[in-house]
Amino acid sequence: MNAAGWETVIGLETHVQLLTRSKMFCGCSSAFGAPPNTNVCPVCLGLPGALPIVNGRAIRLAVRAALALGCRVHARSIFARKNYFYPDLPKGYQISQYEEPLATEGGLEFTSAERGAVRATIARLHVEEDAGKSLHDRVPRATAVDLNRSGVPLAEIVTGPDFRSPQEARAYLLALKEVLQYAEVSDCDMEKGSLRVDANVSVRRAGETALGTKTEVKNINSFAFVEKALTLERERQISVLESGGTIVQQTMLFDARANTVRPQRTKEESKDYRYFPEPDLPPLEVPETWLGEERTAIPELPAAKRERLATRYGIPAQDAGVLVQTPAVADYFEAVVAAGVEAKPAANWIMGEVLADAKQHDGALRVPPPALAQLIALVKGGTVSTQAGKRVFEVLAERGGEPRAVAESLGLVQVADAGALTSWVDQALASHPSEMDRYRAGETKLLAFFVGQVMKLSKGKADPKLVPEVLKQRLGG
Amino acid sequence: MSVSKDEVLKIAQLAELHVDDAALPVLAQQMSRILDYVAQIATVAGSESAPPFIPGPVSAPFRADEVRPAPLAFGPKDLAPAFRDGFFLVPRLGQFAAGADAAVDDE
Amino acid sequence: MSEGALLDRLAQAGPLHALLTPLDEVRSGVAAQATRPPAQGVLAGVPLVVKDNICTLEYTTSCGSRILEGYRSPFDATAIVRLKAAGAVIAGKSNCDEFAMGSSTEHSAYGRTNHPLDPARVPGGSSGGSAALVAARAVPAALGSETGGSVRQPAAFCGVVGIKPTYGRVSRYGLVAFGSSLDQIGVFGDTVTQAGRVLSVISGRDPFDSTCADRDPVVPPERPRDLKDVVIGIPGEYFPADLDRGVRRACERAMERLRALGATLRDVSLPHTKYAIPTYYIIAPAEASSNLARYDGVRYGPRFGDPVDVRALYRNTRGQGFGPEVRRRVLVGTYVLSSGYYEAYYGRAQRMRGLIAQDFDRVFGDGIDLLFTPATPTPAFRAGENMADPVAMYLADIFTVTANLAGLPAMTIPIGRVQGLPIGGQLIAPAFEEARMLGTALALEAVVTGTEEA
């Protein structure tokens, strides 16, 4: 929702780490979490005499990403040096792509709360290497540098100025993450840094067509912060303009703790990267065969899967949206239904219990589909109550087993046996003669009280659906 | 092509290379001389549109995605002028502009 | 050569100031290499010195610069790995112009090297140390590097054989980069055969260098080539009217000998030759300015002063660690790549390079087998002679730079003396025709006497 009369324009630049074993230009491991400066070699250390060699799989994954995002993949593209100085940039330049990138002209659909289905334009996707990490607070008055991340393969994905609100920016990013995870190109984990985003933000008066001066917003470390940071910057810009000021083109840093955006601490000298084609690498040629192979490697993507699940299983679009969050969850849903339960209960259980459990266990779907199907059937058939079912689920998740056996061992199987029910009912009635009288005198709402007593006596085992009937019978009337 | 002292200073800053104030005039003069000299190629007929020549293979060869680090007889600890707890150490950033695309304040 | 004899000869060559490695370090370095399994291979027991800008596990690799003073490389260049596998012994690092930028070795931070025959003169550069040590017969062969003639020019000045391979013929992995699209490791030898043998060992495909051609190593010819009916081109641009008369005499004598061997000599033209130097002095500094950005005091090498912050670290290290010629080239290179100038300078120079390469293509495609030219416009000049005007020094490479720009193989052999100073005759061949070039050089070597006054 914009301040009255203002329109926000946002473009996003996303860096995703490609799912390779080794780095972009050398054979070092690209795994996260190793002790500092242990995944290094002459190449990623920028030692004198070292030279880059292209990781073929990184290019394949980038091609796959480009195809999944509807881009035109260029058979020939050029690596370029982006020259600047920083302690975690060992060569004093980053090998990237500039005038002739791997892919251009793609798009990605996402759902905007305000505008419905929107197609973001993907201006370009190119490959490059990551820099290392600088840690500013580890040693007083010094910066500690770890080059494990130096040389890790990245794809940079740049949109046009397509988003009209911070919410839209976030929605796009979630859609992007889905597609790239589905295509197994990247795990897009903002916490681990395998997905990073910088935003360009400007505002203009509603109805204006020219773009306002934009600022770049950096240091956004989670999806939630995306909305926060962009909202803050938009508000800042509107406030400046409304008080008669002008927007300075600069880099703004989001500070999560202080909940502000502030200009980058130091005075920016003009960023002249002196791009030129990388003389240590001949042109990047993508073999024709890769296009077909990588297209085939792209599974059914989230948007299509959402459609299909909603249509085929007759579940609401919103539910389908939740279920396609990851391919694993979507496959799980289909497996549970295939094991013989109705789609809606399956969807409910998955959106509820299963995903809650998965969240606590690093995404693991711990109860196998057949077991969940059986459990759902038990609840539907009244063998266990819904409450009891949740307890059974917990045990199944923790220790496995067969749902009915687990229910029995926990004593949760509901008793529907007429004799047992009658016995409990009689006991309850016998213990509460005055209430019985009052009921017979017309206080029919006391039925609930008796149901409660029966449940207590049976330690919850009585089937609550059958108890009222038996009570009415025994109360006579 | 005349290069002024100011321009030399700006270029030296881009190249992160300290140049004494006293040395600036001579440097400006030498650079002007060199740039004048090399600029003559702009006069060559056909040089605007001739296809560039870049030697070497036609396309970049690909490496298999295996973890196989290039030989390194000894590591960062033995190379670094300042090293502690596994990290290269540099003095504080101070006035240094964060590298344009450097992730800011990683920790 | 025994270890003792080697050290004696290196010691004898001491006054040349060509060897950067102290002799006691050479002694222990050589001894350590000798403890490996018995030397087999084509270069068994052959000692070589290696230019200081090529990475070796033994000794330091300082590129003639203070910014890498004391730097020990944790890996061997591919060329070094191959030399060792062929039984060769690395006998120390030789002096050179700082980061290979220069044509006289006067720009070394460790002092200049003397010409082997006249200490008042330069041995050429940038690989002056290697050239001088081979000329002094301290070692039979040596490695150097070329970006704009830095093997052939000092080889010619010092009177030894010098080879620049086709671009991509020898892996650049471990050659400290100066001008990446021009750099090649080159070879010095006391004879064509010796130099050819070293080339055969170090050349060939390498998975560590993406610009290295996917080809087998050079197979040097065993015999001189029969030059009957071979057509050798003589480009007029390399014999200008004001060419040093001694150089001209030596070349004309060599050409007579080539004719006597049955070759046909034909006048040809490479019209863009005069633009080679300005083209080179855009491309090489531009690439150098980027290649040298890694020298920042962060991960290796010394730090200068006591930097209070990162900016000071960079600016002090680079301001004090680099010498004046390197600083100049880094600044020129940064300038020509900077915003607004790229197309006019670097962009245009790449196209100019295309025109120069086309000159050669046209001539080679027109029945010319290879080219013969003087290697340098003059014999070795005096120390200090070309230091005042940077451009004056550049012109020393006027006959060598074209082959670097066109990526072609070229070599020089001694063809005579002028007032006691060596003169080199240059052969330039089509791409990857090193065998043809070496065969022709063998034939010429057999009929000229390098020490004979022209």
Side-chain angles (χ1 to χ4, degrees):
Chain A
M1 199 173 52
N2 286 295
W6 291 98
E7 183 176 64
T8 315
V9 176
I10 297 168
L12 294 175
E13 211 175 274
T14 311
H15 290 88
V16 296
Q17 181 177 333
L18 298 170
L19 279 170
T20 57
R21 289 189 215 114
S22 60
K23 294 187 178 183
M24 185 74 224
F25 295 117
C26 66
C28 289
S29 165
S30 56
F32 181 83
N37 291 303
T38 52
N39 286 341
V40 291
C41 76
V43 180
C44 54
L45 282 172
L47 296 189
L51 293 172
I53 315 277
V54 178
N55 179 336
R57 180 144 184 86
I59 304 303
R60 266 194 187 273
L61 292 177
V63 167
R64 193 190 299 172
L67 293 171
L69 294 170
C71 295
R72 170 135 66 115
V73 174
H74 300 288
R76 188 173 176 274
S77 60
I78 306 289
F79 288 104
R81 291 189 185 180
K82 179 178 185 178
N83 296 279
Y84 66 96
F85 287 85
Y86 201 69
D88 60 30
L89 191 68
K91 296 187 293 296
Y93 58 86
Q94 176 198 29
I95 301 178
S96 175
Q97 294 188 297
Y98 183 56
E99 282 179 339
E100 294 183 66
L102 177 66
T104 51
E105 300 150 275
L108 178 63
E109 214 174 82
F110 67 96
T111 306
S112 158
E114 292 117 23
R115 298 191 281 159
V118 177
R119 184 178 162 82
T121 57
I122 300 219
R124 58 186 280 146
L125 182 153
H126 71 247
V127 288
E128 60 185 31
E129 58 175 345
D130 208 345
K133 279 185 105 145
S134 295
L135 309 169
H136 305 296
D137 296 322
R138 220 192 132 84
V139 178
R141 288 187 319 283
T143 293
V145 176
D146 173 14
L147 294 179
N148 280 351
R149 201 183 65 183
S150 156
V152 157
L154 300 177
E156 178 175 324
I157 301 165
V158 181
T159 72
D162 301 324
F163 311 107
R164 294 289 169 271
S165 71
Q167 293 75 17
E168 287 194 358
R170 183 188 180 165
Y172 159 82
L173 282 172
L174 288 170
L176 180 68
K177 172 181 159 134
E178 259 183 14
V179 167
L180 296 180
Q181 280 181 331
Y182 261 68
E184 293 183 309
V185 161
S186 171
D187 60 23
C188 294
D189 185 338
M190 274 188 97
E191 258 83 72
K192 287 218 196 97
S194 60
L195 185 152
R196 283 172 252 156
V197 63
D198 299 324
N200 289 315
V201 183
S202 66
V203 296
R204 62 188 174 194
R205 294 245 177 233
E208 254 181 49
T209 48
L211 291 171
T213 305
K214 64 178 189 232
T215 59
E216 200 183 354
V217 181
K218 285 172 163 306
N219 204 36
I220 302 170
N221 293 329
S222 77
F223 287 99
F225 287 157
V226 168
E227 267 191 68
K228 261 216 174 98
L230 297 183
T231 304
L232 286 167
E233 176 57 13
R234 173 189 70 192
E235 284 169 3
R236 186 194 73 86
Q237 287 195 15
I238 290 172
S239 157
V240 164
L241 290 172
E242 280 186 338
S243 56
T246 51
I247 303 300
V248 175
Q249 182 162 9
Q250 62 186 327
T251 302
M252 305 296 292
L253 303 178
F254 172 61
D255 184 335
R257 264 170 298 176
N259 200 37
T260 57
V261 283
R262 53 183 167 78
Q264 200 168 49
R265 198 181 300 123
T266 50
K267 178 174 78 80
E268 281 257 313
E269 276 152 4
S270 60
K271 296 178 196 171
D272 186 353
Y273 295 121
R274 289 156 278 133
Y275 284 101
F276 70 103
E278 170 59 79
D280 289 333
L281 291 173
L284 176 60
E285 287 194 356
V286 175
E288 181 79 39
T289 49
W290 285 17
L291 294 177
E293 285 164 18
E294 290 315 308
R295 223 183 282 277
T296 310
I298 301 170
E300 180 185 37
L301 287 176
K305 200 184 276 287
R306 212 173 2 248
E307 260 310 301
R308 185 172 64 77
L309 291 189
T311 312
R312 175 156 164 200
Y313 297 98
I315 54 175
Q318 195 157 340
D319 290 5
V322 174
L323 292 172
V324 303
Q325 260 173 25
T326 68
V329 171
D331 290 346
Y332 184 86
F333 165 74
E334 294 201 86
V336 169
V337 172
V341 292
E342 279 171 18
K344 190 68 176 113
N348 288 341
W349 271 87
I350 293 169
M351 291 191 295
E353 265 54 50
V354 173
L355 285 182
D357 182 68
K359 194 158 173 187
Q360 301 299 321
H361 295 96
D362 215 20
L365 304 168
R366 299 198 294 165
V367 177
L372 183 66
Q374 283 170 41
L375 175 57
I376 294 174
L378 287 177
V379 171
K380 174 159 189 215
T383 309
V384 293
S385 67
T386 309
Q387 270 316 105
K390 292 182 182 178
R391 280 209 54 214
V392 173
F393 177 87
E394 273 167 33
V395 173
L396 289 173
E398 201 60 44
R399 289 185 289 211
E402 196 265 305
R404 198 196 172 92
V406 170
E408 278 171 1
S409 73
L410 291 176
L412 293 173
V413 175
Q414 289 186 146
V415 177
D417 171 63
L421 286 178
T422 310
S423 144
W424 283 321
V425 163
D426 286 346
Q427 250 192 291
L429 293 177
S431 321
H432 297 94
S434 58
E435 281 81 1
M436 200 166 67
D437 288 336
R438 283 164 61 196
Y439 177 85
R440 282 181 174 142
E443 284 185 50
T444 49
K445 62 181 185 320
L446 281 170
L447 192 70
F449 168 76
F450 281 116
V451 171
Q453 291 303 307
V454 170
M455 295 310 293
K456 224 159 88 174
L457 278 171
S458 69
K459 296 198 180 51
K461 282 202 212 162
D463 187 340
K465 292 196 290 294
L466 300 174
V467 167
E469 274 316 303
V470 179
L471 274 170
K472 283 186 194 160
Q473 245 179 46
R474 298 311 268 177
L475 286 164
Chain B
M1 180 77 242
S2 203
V3 182
S4 69
K5 277 172 24 204
D6 284 334
E7 277 179 289
V8 175
L9 195 53
K10 225 174 43 135
I11 295 291
Q13 284 168 356
L14 254 187
E16 293 297 337
L17 217 160
H18 173 75
V19 176
D20 278 331
D21 281 333
L24 278 176
V26 174
L27 208 39
Q29 183 233 1
Q30 287 178 339
M31 280 177 68
S32 299
R33 163 102 175 95
I34 295 167
L35 290 163
D36 261 334
Y37 172 72
V38 300
Q40 64 179 280
I41 65 167
T43 65
V44 179
S47 65
E48 226 174 68
S49 54
F53 173 71
I54 297 154
V58 159
S59 66
F62 295 135
R63 181 176 52 83
D65 185 28
E66 290 162 353
V67 175
R68 209 193 307 172
L72 190 69
F74 46 89
K77 184 165 65 82
D78 300 301
L79 289 165
F83 202 75
R84 198 200 297 187
D85 299 335
F87 293 90
F88 292 101
L89 286 188
V90 296
R92 61 192 180 87
L93 288 186
Q95 280 297 298
F96 190 69
D101 285 343
V104 180
D105 294 333
D106 278 36
E107 219 156 278
Chain C
M1 196 191 295
S2 78
E3 189 184 307
L6 167 65
L7 287 158
D8 281 342
R9 290 161 99 121
L10 286 173
Q12 259 180 337
L16 294 179
H17 190 58
L19 188 67
L20 287 178
T21 310
L23 281 177
D24 58 343
E25 262 189 61
V26 176
R27 186 176 296 112
S28 44
V30 165
Q33 289 170 68
T35 62
R36 283 197 302 270
Q40 321 262 3
V42 151
L43 292 175
V46 175
L48 286 94
V49 295
V50 169
K51 186 176 180 181
D52 198 30
N53 68 346
I54 296 172
C55 291
T56 53
L57 286 170
E58 293 81 13
Y59 322 122
T60 54
T61 301
S62 63
C63 303
S65 179
R66 292 265 171 242
I67 215 169
L68 282 176
E69 186 163 10
Y71 174 74
R72 300 197 84 94
S73 171
F75 70 100
D76 269 338
T78 296
I80 301 297
V81 172
R82 291 177 182 183
L83 283 176
K84 288 178 177 176
V89 177
I90 312 300
K93 307 299 281 287
S94 59
N95 200 15
C96 60
D97 283 298
E98 187 178 358
F99 283 105
M101 298 186 196
S103 308
S104 64
T105 312
E106 291 174 285
H107 288 295
S108 167
Y110 299 100
R112 71 173 187 86
T113 295
N114 297 339
H115 189 283
L117 300 175
D118 179 353
R121 289 181 188 262
V122 301
S126 56
S127 318
S130 282
L133 286 167
V134 172
R137 299 298 186 252
V139 285
L143 289 191
S145 77
E146 281 248 356
T147 309
S150 293
V151 165
R152 287 165 289 150
Q153 185 253 30
F157 277 12
C158 293
V160 296
V161 174
I163 305 176
K164 178 196 98 66
T166 311
Y167 183 86
R169 179 62 99 172
V170 176
S171 169
R172 291 187 298 117
Y173 187 73
L175 168 63
V176 178
F178 158 17
S180 313
S181 70
L182 299 156
D183 290 342
Q184 273 292 277
I185 290 178
V187 183
F188 293 96
D190 52 8
T191 62
V192 173
T193 300
Q194 183 66 268
R197 201 173 287 142
V198 173
L199 181 61
S200 74
V201 165
I202 64 174
S203 55
R205 63 181 60 81
D206 182 20
F208 285 97
D209 176 4
S210 298
T211 61
C212 191
D214 183 19
R215 286 176 181 252
D216 293 339
V218 172
V219 178
E222 310 201 341
R223 251 179 301 290
R225 192 177 174 208
D226 180 358
L227 297 186
K228 199 157 71 73
D229 301 326
V230 166
V231 183
I232 299 179
I234 308 297
E237 292 80 6
Y238 290 63
F239 293 87
D242 60 356
L243 180 64
D244 180 286
R245 286 210 299 265
V247 171
R248 185 185 292 277
R249 273 198 316 273
C251 286
E252 280 172 352
R253 183 174 68 188
M255 284 151 69
E256 261 172 51
R257 307 272 164 96
L258 287 169
R259 276 192 205 95
L261 286 171
T264 305
L265 271 50
R266 202 200 295 170
D267 287 335
V268 297
S269 173
L270 299 168
H272 296 93
T273 301
K274 64 177 178 289
Y275 300 110
I277 298 273
T279 302
Y280 173 84
Y281 278 98
I282 291 171
I283 296 174
E287 293 178 3
S289 71
S290 179
N291 284 328
L292 268 61
R294 68 190 64 194
Y295 304 110
D296 56 13
V298 172
R299 290 145 289 125
Y300 46 83
R303 294 183 174 179
F304 291 77
D306 194 15
V308 299
D309 59 23
V310 161
R311 166 141 292 152
L313 173 67
Y314 288 165
R315 294 190 178 177
N316 292 352
T317 300
R318 294 162 63 75
Q320 293 173 44
F322 288 143
E325 181 63 28
V326 169
R327 285 201 302 271
R328 232 182 335 259
R329 295 206 197 186
V330 166
L331 292 174
V332 167
T334 306
Y335 183 96
V336 304
L337 288 177
S338 68
S339 151
Y341 293 122
Y342 172 87
E343 223 15 82
Y345 285 99
Y346 192 82
R348 185 68 74 108
Q350 293 283 58
R351 296 182 192 281
M352 198 58 240
R353 203 173 168 176
L355 291 175
I356 290 166
Q358 272 175 37
D359 281 357
F360 285 101
D361 282 344
R362 199 177 306 117
V363 155
F364 288 136
D366 194 26
I368 298 296
D369 195 84
L370 35 62
L371 300 164
F372 176 80
T373 81
T376 58
T378 65
F381 47 84
R382 284 187 179 75
E385 204 172 290
N386 287 325
M387 294 291 270
D389 174 16
V391 175
M393 184 70 85
Y394 297 169
L395 294 171
D397 290 322
I398 203 158
F399 298 147
T400 45
V401 141
T402 46
N404 301 90
L405 288 169
L408 297 175
M411 66 183 291
T412 177
I413 72 165
I415 56 171
R417 300 249 170 121
V418 169
Q419 282 155 6
L421 293 171
I423 303 291
Q426 170 172 243
L427 295 169
I428 306 174
F432 298 106
E433 292 293 347
E434 282 85 350
R436 178 195 304 186
M437 182 176 73
L438 287 164
T440 309
L442 278 173
L444 183 58
E445 184 185 47
V447 298
V448 294
T449 310
T451 49
E452 196 185 324
E453 273 287 325

